[in-house]
Amino acid sequence: MAWRTPFHAMRLRGRHPLKLIAVADDPFLGDPASGNAMLDGRLSFRGEERELAELDFTRPDWSRNFSDYLHSFAWLRDLSTVATRARGAPIAEALMRMWLDAHADKVADPAWRADLWGRRILFWTAHAPLILSSTDLVYRSSVLHALARGARHLDRSADRVQVGAPRIAAWCGVLVAGLMIPGGDPRRSFGEAGLQRALSQSVFDDGGIVTRSPAGQVDAIRLLTMLCESYAARRIDPPEFVGVALNRMVGALLGICHRDNGLSSWQGSGPMTGEAIAQLVEATGVRTRPLKQARDWGYQRLAAQKTVLIIDAAPPPVARLVEGGCASTLAFELSDDGERIVVNCGGARATNVSVPLALSEGLRTTAAHSTLVVGDSNSTAIHADGTLGRGVGEVELARQETETSSRIEASHDGYVRRFGLTHRRQIVMASDGRDIRGEDSLLPADKRKRKKPTLFAIRFHLAPHVEISPTADGQAAILRLPGGAMWQFRCRGGTLAVEDSIWIDARGRPVPTEQLVIGGEAIAGGTSISWVFHRAR
């Protein structure tokens, strides 16, 4: 017998509410630039713009990211950030009428994707004053009718969405509908069981999202926080498991932030500012320390005094869980008092629309991360269709803490199949944070006899504001930071060069920068290259 939800008998033409029981707060600020663009008659997202008056939902000519922004109604947050209710409501209502005309009675993707319905319900209920201020009772009834139909659609489809933030979004939509639509107690009970199941499938025990994406982590935290606001609007305590999940997820997120709370760049995500992360954490109400070791999520954090180093110590996410995973195993980012020194190019899935697709895909490669590259190839294959292939299957990790230093030693098998070599990286940070000593080794993993040496490059992408002065001996460089700090870099075992690089900023724009590159050849018996970052001032 096919599995059915308790609402299977309820059809899309079922009874709909005439009002919302309550209106929840949206505790997050939107993007003022996007909000002001709406006041000027344009919808803008990551550099892609459309005139509001010319939007044609029946003939979409926009990107998937823009489509998700449009159909999720996330723009309501941006609009409410810059506009009063009197000024914003006519704009929101006009766009809502266009959406209802095109999609309210036609069940088809992308508009009826379950994860987008979940987000839509959260935004509609949190920003109800913008979309339900009209005195047109027919229009108001159409909005509420669409909300009820969407909720019933979610009852049957929430568990079919991809695990991670999309499934969490779908179940949060079910729950908010149960909280805000009259007679929703049975749906709320059903939704709480579904959300608990979704969280167990989408979040590791250490609090990291299974897609390993910081952007997905931020997204999930926002969704759960908005859900808690809906419970608060009804003066009902959220389930205990929601608070437990939020505590773990915030700690994991802070673990991959630099000292200024700025987010490091991993798995296609961009570098959110410290202010944005601080506002996110404040909205959750969670008070916790950054997680140092997230073995399941895959990130390790070394912190001493003002210095923070974050390393990716896990295989890429499983291909079926995420689109756009990156071959970044054993890459790291380094900062001094919040000023980034070593970074990853980042942003493969957060680029501005002006960035060519080929460049966005290139940001997923091993060479776009601060780690070792063998034979100018990826540690995990990236197929032409964008999926991840064979490569890193296992990462061995050891961590040791003493009074004088913190040490991480990790190795991966991503180059064994093609080159017969294991990459091992060791990083030691002194307790005062002024010395970071590293060693990258390529070790024979089998008895294959290589006929010729294998070329390698160890890349350290530098933040755009870092001023580089190479030394004459080709083995060192002086790195000057805007705040006046000066770091010395020195290597042994290869030839040091300075090459061009790019860094994707918090708005998805590519910023020119440079990288330190240690080049060399791995001989048959293996090779070790040592390097050090020392804070001289």
Side-chain angles (χ1 to χ4, degrees), residues 147-481:
L147 175 63
R149 294 185 77 222
R152 290 192 289 272
H153 177 70
L154 275 183
D155 293 336
R156 293 184 292 273
S157 58
D159 255 344
R160 302 173 192 167
V161 186
Q162 185 70 31
V163 296
R167 187 170 295 186
I168 293 171
W171 280 109
C172 283
V174 172
L175 267 171
V176 171
L179 288 162
M180 298 304 182
I181 295 176
D185 287 345
R187 175 177 279 130
R188 178 158 62 89
S189 177
F190 166 66
E192 288 177 353
L195 179 61
Q196 186 169 24
R197 185 169 59 251
L199 288 173
S200 69
Q201 297 163 339
S202 302
V203 181
F204 291 120
D205 289 342
D206 56 26
I209 199 88
V210 294
T211 60
R212 304 201 58 228
S213 164
Q217 186 84 354
V218 169
D219 189 13
I221 290 172
R222 282 179 174 157
L223 290 165
L224 292 176
T225 305
M226 290 185 74
L227 172 65
C228 289
E229 291 292 337
S230 294
Y231 275 96
R234 288 289 313 278
R235 294 185 173 86
I236 300 173
D237 291 332
E240 183 180 358
F241 70 82
V242 174
V244 171
L246 271 174
N247 272 277
R248 289 190 286 118
M249 296 176 75
V250 170
L253 179 69
L254 292 176
I256 58 170
C257 290
H258 294 286
R259 198 168 182 267
D260 65 346
N261 280 340
L263 189 62
S264 51
S265 299
W266 304 102
Q267 295 303 325
S269 302
M272 285 182 66
T273 65
E275 292 79 7
I277 294 294
Q279 196 259 339
L280 170 74
V281 174
E282 181 180 2
T284 67
V286 172
R287 298 293 179 264
T288 187
R289 295 179 180 274
L291 183 65
K292 292 183 178 180
Q293 300 188 58
R295 186 62 189 266
D296 291 330
W297 198 27
Y299 300 105
Q300 297 282 319
R301 176 187 182 88
L302 297 178
Q305 301 300 322
K306 299 179 180 180
T307 306
V308 172
L309 185 146
I310 302 152
I311 184 170
D312 178 356
V318 179
R320 62 180 172 79
L321 296 179
V322 64
E323 295 179 5
C326 298
S328 58
T329 308
L330 299 194
F332 73 89
E333 289 204 3
L334 172 67
S335 64
D336 175 10
D337 200 20
E339 291 189 308
R340 300 175 195 227
I341 304 173
V342 177
V343 296
N344 299 305
C345 296
R349 288 295 176 265
T351 51
N352 188 284
V353 71
S354 64
V355 177
L357 178 60
L359 177 55
S360 293
E361 290 302 300
L363 296 171
R364 300 172 58 200
T365 64
T366 304
H369 296 82
S370 293
T371 187
L372 180 145
V373 182
V374 177
D376 199 25
S377 63
N378 294 312
S379 56
T380 295
I382 301 175
H383 294 156
D385 64 358
T387 59
L388 293 177
R390 299 177 68 174
V392 179
E394 182 180 3
V395 174
E396 294 185 0
L397 173 69
R399 178 166 178 154
Q400 183 181 9
E401 306 279 354
T402 68
E403 292 183 0
T404 58
S405 66
S406 298
R407 175 193 302 266
I408 286 179
E409 184 174 321
S411 62
H412 74 73
D413 57 357
Y415 293 117
V416 169
R417 181 169 169 265
R418 285 163 291 166
F419 300 99
L421 295 169
T422 296
H423 174 208
R424 183 183 69 191
R425 168 164 274 185
Q426 178 179 282
I427 299 177
V428 181
M429 178 183 289
S431 58
D432 61 2
R434 299 179 69 90
D435 275 285
I436 296 97
R437 298 183 179 272
E439 182 180 77
D440 284 291
S441 302
L442 289 172
L443 307 174
D446 52 35
K447 297 181 180 179
R448 266 189 288 174
K449 293 184 179 180
R450 287 174 295 281
K451 297 180 180 180
K452 58 181 180 180
T454 304
L455 296 177
F456 69 84
I458 306 173
R459 301 182 179 275
F460 303 90
H461 297 273
L462 301 177
H465 55 243
V466 177
E467 180 183 332
I468 309 171
S469 301
T471 58
D473 62 2
Q475 297 292 301
I478 303 298
L479 309 178
R480 293 179 174 85
L481 307 186

Side-chain angles (χ1 to χ4, degrees), residues 455-531:
L455 296 177
F456 69 84
I458 306 173
R459 301 182 179 275
F460 303 90
H461 297 273
L462 301 177
H465 55 243
V466 177
E467 180 183 332
I468 309 171
S469 301
T471 58
D473 62 2
Q475 297 292 301
I478 303 298
L479 309 178
R480 293 179 174 85
L481 307 186
M486 184 173 72
W487 286 73
Q488 297 173 342
F489 176 82
R490 180 166 288 277
C491 65
R492 185 174 62 189
T495 303
L496 182 64
V498 177
E499 299 181 4
D500 291 336
S501 181
I502 62 168
W503 181 69
I504 305 301
D505 70 8
R507 299 196 69 83
R509 301 168 299 192
V511 180
T513 185
E514 294 179 300
Q515 58 179 310
L516 299 172
V517 183
I518 305 172
E521 296 182 343
I523 59 177
T527 298
S528 290
I529 307 91
S530 60
W531 44 267

